[in-house]
Amino acid sequence: MAEDNARLNEKRGRIAFRAWRRGFREADLVLGPFVEREGPSLTEAELDELKALLNIDDQYLYAWIIGREPTPAEHETPLMARIRTFMRDHVAAVVAQGAG
């Protein structure tokens, strides 16, 4: 059990690193905070799904998150919906604090 937790924590750490260092600032500002706040509650299957999303080019992934482009069916999942909800709430909170 401890070994499984250590493995999952390592996976979360790798995903967090990738989420914050996308090279596309707007994606960083959504995905990094999302992983920080929601990552601990993600299941292993959701972590695998998130890892797959992080392999997608930023321009496409960010366009899906903000709704500028339709999300392909295989990526239109509850996790994507969670990311979108987080983005709306996170951006609204940041703007309310005067960062917009």
Side-chain angles (χ1 to χ4, degrees):
M1 187 68 137
E3 205 171 285
D4 286 341
N5 286 339
R7 184 181 50 75
L8 280 176
N9 286 337
E10 184 178 326
K11 183 184 271 191
R12 284 186 182 99
R14 286 191 308 269
I15 288 171
F17 182 85
R18 290 185 60 210
W20 273 110
R21 289 157 185 87
R22 304 287 302 157
F24 188 83
R25 189 70 179 142
E26 291 86 349
D28 290 348
L29 294 173
V30 173
L31 296 169
F34 175 80
V35 172
E36 279 186 2
R37 293 185 191 162
E38 302 294 322
S41 68
L42 296 178
T43 66
E44 186 162 12
E46 290 170 326
L47 289 171
D48 290 339
E49 183 181 341
L50 182 55
K51 183 178 174 183
L53 285 173
L54 294 175
N55 286 327
I56 295 168
D57 287 341
D58 288 324
Q59 65 195 27
Y60 301 116
L61 180 56
Y62 188 70
W64 302 340
I65 291 169
I66 65 170
R68 185 174 54 214
E69 296 290 333
T71 304
E74 66 268 20
H75 297 297
E76 191 59 62
T77 65
L79 179 63
M80 180 60 81
R82 253 177 104 173
I83 293 169
R84 284 191 191 105
T85 298
F86 178 85
M87 188 275 309
R88 285 190 297 268
D89 294 347
H90 175 70
V91 169
V94 170
V95 169
Q97 293 172 1

